[in-house]
Amino acid sequence: MTKLLKWLTIAALVSMLSACGYNDFQTKDEATKAAWSEVVNQYQRRADLIPNLVNTVKGYASHERETLEAVTKARAAATSFQITPEVLNDPQAFQKFQQVQGELSSALSRLMAISENYPQLKADTSFRDLQSQLEGTENRITVARQRYIVSVQEYNVLARSFPTNITAKVFGYPVKPSFTVENEKAISAPPAVNFGK
């Protein structure tokens, strides 16, 4: 009888261990890190394209110095931000990274608006190629962000579900921050359209 009780106890412990989700946490944690690495990779691609774009625009729009300097400054800030795996678990650092990338996106959109004022710049083959590459990179960034959001969602569901939430607490797997937009209220408001002018 004691042997049977011993074997039943061992079987119960083994079944509890298989349901603890430790391996699932390893898999999901690595998936979120890989997804975030792809987001960073696409941001780096964008940062690498910017100097060529700025130099091309400089040749045509030399008096738009302020905007060109803003783009260069935003790129420097974005590339100087150190990305480590710990950023994914630190909401403040994650928010700072998003802010820096948002400032770069804003500066780039101002640069693209300036290019509309220079028909000969818009006709320049190298500028059009760079603009096309930049647009493609922005699309890649959007896809990479979306994949990261899905990956974090899967991880967070695992971290919050029973019984794996116990494993998360025991082994220190906190809920990860998801990608957010800094000015969510501003972008959710409908745009003002005025044809009066």
Side-chain angles (χ1 to χ4, degrees), residues 24 37 46 67 72 90 100 109 171 175 179 190:
D24 291 336
S37 293
R46 176 175 70 176
T67 302
T72 305
D90 183 358
V100 167
S109 63
F171 290 102
V175 172
F179 193 88

Side-chain angles (χ1 to χ4, degrees), residues 101-112:
Q101 291 300 327
E103 290 168 3
L104 180 56
S105 294
S106 176
L108 277 174
S109 63
R110 287 192 307 273
L111 180 66
M112 289 299 137

Side-chain angles (χ1 to χ4, degrees), residues 119-139:
Q120 65 273 45
L121 173 62
K122 288 173 33 178
D124 185 73
T125 307
S126 62
F127 176 77
R128 283 197 327 255
D129 290 346
L130 286 167
Q131 188 177 19
S132 175
Q133 287 182 30
L134 193 59
E135 287 170 0
T137 300
E138 292 296 331
N139 290 336

Side-chain angles (χ1 to χ4, degrees), residues 32-165:
T32 59
K33 288 177 185 173
W36 182 248
S37 293
E38 183 57 25
V39 171
V40 172
N41 179 39
Q42 296 307 325
Y43 279 138
Q44 184 61 50
R45 176 182 161 82
R46 176 175 70 176
D48 292 344
L49 287 172
I50 290 171
N52 295 331
L53 187 65
V54 168
N55 288 334
T56 303
V57 174
K58 266 185 193 177
Y60 289 93
S62 58
H63 65 281
E64 302 286 358
R65 198 172 122 222
E66 184 179 308
T67 302
L68 296 172
E69 287 175 357
V71 170
T72 305
K73 182 179 175 187
R75 178 190 179 272
T79 56
S80 69
F81 191 89
Q82 294 297 317
I83 302 299
T84 62
E86 289 76 32
V87 169
L88 298 179
N89 296 325
D90 183 358
Q92 289 83 17
F94 192 73
Q95 184 178 16
K96 176 67 177 164
F97 178 78
Q98 288 178 269
Q99 177 186 0
V100 167
Q101 291 300 327
E103 290 168 3
L104 180 56
S105 294
S106 176
L108 277 174
S109 63
R110 287 192 307 273
L111 180 66
M112 289 299 137
I114 284 175
S115 70
E116 295 297 318
N117 296 330
Y118 298 93
Q120 65 273 45
L121 173 62
K122 288 173 33 178
D124 185 73
T125 307
S126 62
F127 176 77
R128 283 197 327 255
D129 290 346
L130 286 167
Q131 188 177 19
S132 175
Q133 287 182 30
L134 193 59
E135 287 170 0
T137 300
E138 292 296 331
N139 290 336
R140 289 177 183 184
I141 288 171
T142 301
V143 169
R145 284 181 190 160
Q146 189 271 335
R147 288 179 181 157
Y148 174 72
I149 290 167
V150 168
S151 179
V152 167
Q153 177 191 10
E154 291 172 357
Y155 172 90
N156 286 345
V157 166
L158 183 67
R160 290 180 171 167
S161 300
F162 183 80
T164 54
N165 64 340

